[in-house]
Amino acid sequence: MSGSAISDLILSVDGVTIDYSGFKALDGFSMRLNRGETRVVIGPNGAGKSTLCDTIIGRVRPSTGRVIFKGEEIHRLPEQAIVARGICRKFQAPGVLPTLSVRDNLALAARRDRRWWKSLGTGIPADERAAVDEALESVGLTHRATVEAGTLAHGEKQWLEIAMVMATGAELLLLDEPTAGMGPAETSRTAELILGLGHSRTVLVIDHDMSFVEQLAAPVTVMHQGKFLKQGSVAEVRADPEVAAVYLGHTA
Amino acid sequence: MPDLSRLSPLKPVLPWLLLALGIAAPFALSSYDLNLLARFMAMGILALGLVLIWGHGGILSLGQGVFFGLGGYAIALHMKLADLPAGELPDFMVWSGRESLPFWWTPFASPAFTLAAIILVPTLAGALFAWAVFHRRVGGTYFALITQALSLAFATLIISRQDVTGGFNGLTDFYSIFGVGLTSPGTGSMLYWITLAILCGAFVALRWLLASRFGILLRAARDGENRVRFLGYNPTPFKVAAFAIAAMLAGIGGALFTLHAGVVSPALIGVVPSIEMVVWVAIGGRYSLAGAIVGALLVNLARDAVSSAFPELWLYLMGALFIFVVTLLPRGLAGIAKGKAA
Ligand SMILES: Nc1ncnc2c1ncn2[C@@H]1O[C@H](COP(=O)(O)OP(=O)(O)OP(=O)(O)O)[C@@H](O)[C@H]1O
Ligand SMILES: [Mg+2]
């Protein structure tokens, strides 16, 4: 992933400001992601990490700046058009659909034709069915496929949502705190899941758990008060006095 | 809570038993009772639509009376014109000094136009209204309030245009439908069977729809509209389509009701009747198609019994029943039958 030629660039967040009536959750923030890269974003509570995801998927609209995905400006597109370009996001609070079965949750995500009149049927194409089975397998929920997603344990819900995001086939995955509420064993498993993607997808991971970040062994971007603060390897970021002062100093 | 799940061996035969009873009803009931049952079944058709939008779509509509009324008035216009000697005006128009038929009455002389209008007018009105509201991402309580305002506006409009709508008294005194005398022998049974067939058809169609991917997505959008949106779906057309279907069923129900009751008036379609429609479904069970039909039948049966003896009591009783069901039995009677109250 060295030598980032222009053609490797998949996402570019360019001087974005998100203004909540005077309060800038993102303040001229910029960041670039290369195709196939895994990037971790850390920062104290309220640093603007979730807002960054919100901006990329079109939940909030920047007052200044641009978001460019695969060479196309996407920050004015409707949400479903952004997803159709190949971006999907896991929410910070698990966003599984509680009254649907685990399988139906995944089938909804794996569906390629999302127009309403194409939903008037019960059959699922073989490739989508296979994608669902694979997704179930990958997060170890095969034996839970028929239960309502709302009855899953917290960690299982997180996995299900990660699997849903993966099943959409999106090229860029935004994972907002995928290990929140997980124990150490579950956290390791989540790291393996993300590492298992290899370089087939571009992944942006937000997390507070530094042991998880270490397992991912990916470059880290540090945010503070809506601004870029530092970037480097986990070790570099850990050793940085400025980062320690605003973030790691409090938690480590 | 009585546990009816012990009766489960009966379950596979129960629908067929009920259907057989339904078909045989004209041979067992007096024509008065049969007419009553047919009216309640017409309301059951509307109730099915509420299961779709409220139970599975999370869209509470307090305006179903509007679509019920559109269907009801469409057939009423036709019957008024059909019974009219050529060149004459309906009596209420004459009384209010009109000299000619309003232009929008004339096409209702045609049976084909009328049938099309019964289906298309409520459907399109429902689709347009729902689109206007949902594409602005208005939902929940606001949506319910807007539908209530709609039913108030609709009833007010009808009352205020006495000369062309019959006003507060509505339209009544019908004698024939599509050339068949309403009081001729056999007509009552035939209209009852038609109503039963439409009710069954709507039931089967909605069962299929709710089990399809459309139904799954509707429930998904009810529980997590944002999750659905950020999986790449636009929830708006799904909700609009569901609302339009419910409006269509309300319109068909309204037309059949008008046929059986022999009257359509603002008092049957305004704010209070629209709320009552939601109450039938709340009591029967808003997630259950069968429950909604049972709710519509039972509540209207009870209303018939209570309101003739104590007219003022009915509203209070219904209100109390509604609060009881919503707070303690969110799945209604259908929940009891399934052995789970919550
Ligand atoms: N809709 C909103 N209106 C006003 N302020 C908001 C809104 N959403 C977020 N904020 C504010 O923007 C700032 C950034 O929020 P954000 O959720 O992006 O932080 P975060 O880095 O994800 O924090 P955490 O680690 O707690 O998840 C916070 O101060 C938050 O209070
Ligand atoms: Mg956050």
Side-chain angles (χ1 to χ4, degrees):
Chain A
M1 278 179 296
S2 55
S4 48
I6 296 296
S7 63
D8 280 337
L9 191 65
I10 188 165
L11 178 81
S12 155
V13 175
D14 204 2
V16 162
T17 299
I18 297 292
D19 198 322
Y20 286 121
S21 42
F23 173 79
K24 289 178 175 159
L26 288 184
D27 191 356
F29 183 81
S30 298
M31 139 179 237
R32 290 173 159 222
L33 284 182
N34 286 333
R35 205 177 287 273
E37 173 182 11
T38 295
R39 176 78 61 90
V40 179
V41 174
I42 61 170
N45 293 115
K49 305 179 298 291
S50 296
T51 305
L52 174 63
C53 292
D54 286 340
T55 310
I56 298 170
I57 55 156
R59 194 179 183 188
V60 296
R61 306 291 170 169
S63 50
T64 66
R66 305 181 301 166
V67 181
I68 297 168
F69 181 65
K70 294 197 280 185
E72 181 191 11
E73 278 196 5
I74 58 165
H75 58 271
R76 288 193 200 88
L77 294 177
E79 297 91 333
Q80 61 273 11
I82 295 175
V83 178
R85 299 291 189 282
I87 305 178
C88 198
R89 179 240 185 118
K90 181 209 158 296
F91 287 95
Q92 183 164 349
V96 299
L97 300 159
T99 63
L100 267 52
S101 72
V102 170
R103 179 176 286 282
D104 282 345
N105 266 272
L106 287 164
L108 216 58
R111 182 125 186 102
R112 291 294 168 265
D113 192 337
R114 301 182 181 119
R115 290 169 297 181
W116 74 270
W117 64 90
K118 293 291 185 143
S119 70
L120 297 171
T122 47
I124 298 178
D127 57 331
E128 285 172 22
R129 192 178 294 276
V132 169
D133 288 337
E134 196 190 310
L136 283 169
E137 196 69 42
S138 73
V139 290
L141 287 174
T142 307
H143 64 294
R144 307 278 271 155
T146 55
V147 307
E148 282 188 4
T151 67
L152 294 177
H154 184 78
E156 289 176 318
K157 281 186 193 158
Q158 296 273 44
W159 282 330
L160 174 57
E161 200 182 0
I162 296 170
M164 285 163 72
V165 168
M166 290 178 178
T168 59
E171 288 170 75
L172 172 60
L173 312 182
L174 312 175
L175 305 180
D176 197 349
E177 307 210 3
T179 69
M182 286 186 180
E186 288 176 315
T187 299
S188 296
R189 204 147 167 216
T190 308
E192 280 163 30
L193 193 65
I194 295 169
L195 289 167
L197 290 170
H199 299 310
S200 64
R201 317 273 189 107
T202 311
V203 190
L204 192 147
V205 187
I206 293 168
D207 221 290
H208 285 289
D209 182 339
M210 285 312 285
S211 72
F212 172 67
V213 173
E214 251 158 28
Q215 286 177 70
L216 291 179
V220 177
T221 298
V222 187
M223 291 181 72
H224 180 50
Q225 294 181 345
K227 292 196 181 79
F228 174 87
L229 184 68
K230 272 277 144 41
Q231 178 156 339
S233 69
V234 184
E236 283 164 358
V237 165
R238 280 213 137 155
D240 191 285
E242 224 179 323
V243 176
V246 303
Y247 179 48
L248 297 173
H250 304 290
T251 56
Chain B
M1 220 63 68
D3 181 7
L4 301 186
S5 56
R6 270 173 296 131
L7 297 177
S8 57
L10 266 181
K11 232 184 145 191
V13 289
L14 198 61
W16 301 109
L17 197 69
L18 286 175
L19 182 63
L21 283 177
I23 293 171
F27 306 108
L29 296 181
S30 71
S31 66
Y32 176 84
D33 286 339
L34 187 68
N35 179 274
L36 217 53
L37 183 58
R39 278 187 220 183
F40 299 166
M41 283 179 166
M43 293 162 156
I45 296 171
L46 176 143
L48 290 175
L50 275 170
V51 172
L52 176 69
I53 55 171
W54 185 33
H56 292 254
I59 302 163
L60 174 57
S61 168
L62 300 176
Q64 291 311 93
V66 172
F67 309 108
F68 188 81
L70 287 173
Y73 272 93
I75 202 166
L77 295 193
H78 174 74
M79 292 194 287
K80 270 288 170 206
L81 292 178
D83 297 337
L84 214 57
E88 282 188 28
L89 286 184
D91 46 11
F92 69 90
M93 287 192 192
V94 178
W95 299 334
S96 41
R98 273 197 78 93
E99 313 211 310
S100 66
L101 219 52
F103 73 93
W104 50 272
W105 269 70
T106 19
F108 284 93
S110 147
F113 179 90
T114 304
L115 283 178
I118 287 169
I119 293 173
L120 293 180
V121 172
T123 310
L124 293 179
L128 271 175
F129 170 76
W131 186 80
V133 182
F134 289 141
H135 100 278
R136 279 165 224 245
R137 303 200 183 165
V138 174
T141 316
Y142 292 106
F143 184 81
L145 287 175
I146 295 170
T147 54
Q148 179 153 78
L150 187 72
S151 73
L152 182 64
F154 186 62
T156 309
L157 180 73
I158 289 176
I159 293 170
S160 70
R161 295 302 311 274
Q162 157 93 38
D163 59 330
V164 290
T165 62
F168 189 78
N169 300 323
L171 299 174
T172 186
D173 293 332
F174 312 125
Y175 302 102
S176 70
I177 178 72
F178 303 152
V180 182
L182 288 176
T183 49
S184 351
T187 306
S189 305
M190 186 48 70
L191 292 178
Y192 166 86
W193 278 319
I194 290 172
T195 307
L196 177 66
I198 293 175
L199 179 67
C200 292
F203 178 85
V204 171
L206 282 195
R207 240 176 93 107
W208 176 85
L209 188 68
L210 290 176
S212 74
R213 285 190 301 265
F214 182 92
I216 293 174
L217 200 118
L218 205 57
R219 290 186 286 280
R222 172 195 68 193
D223 297 339
E225 184 156 347
N226 258 330
R227 183 64 279 177
V228 167
R229 201 185 294 282
F230 293 112
L231 286 175
Y233 293 88
N234 182 0
T236 304
F238 287 88
K239 290 160 69 177
V240 170
F243 196 83
I245 292 169
M248 177 178 77
L249 292 173
I252 294 171
L256 290 167
F257 177 88
T258 303
L259 205 50
H260 298 302
V263 57
V264 60
S265 76
L268 295 167
I269 64 178
V271 171
V272 174
S274 294
I275 294 173
E276 282 189 44
M277 293 163 187
V278 170
V279 177
W280 312 333
V281 177
I283 289 173
R286 67 173 119 144
Y287 305 106
S288 161
L289 295 171
I293 296 176
V294 170
L297 294 183
L298 287 186
V299 176
N300 281 296
L301 209 61
R303 172 194 232 276
D304 203 61
V306 176
S307 69
S308 50
F310 317 96
E312 305 85 19
L313 199 63
W314 173 245
L315 268 186
Y316 295 104
L317 191 68
M318 193 186 61
L321 216 57
F322 183 56
I323 292 169
F324 172 77
V325 167
V326 166
T327 52
L328 296 175
L329 284 178
R331 290 176 174 275
L333 295 174
I336 301 181
K338 287 211 176 84
K340 51 180 175 182

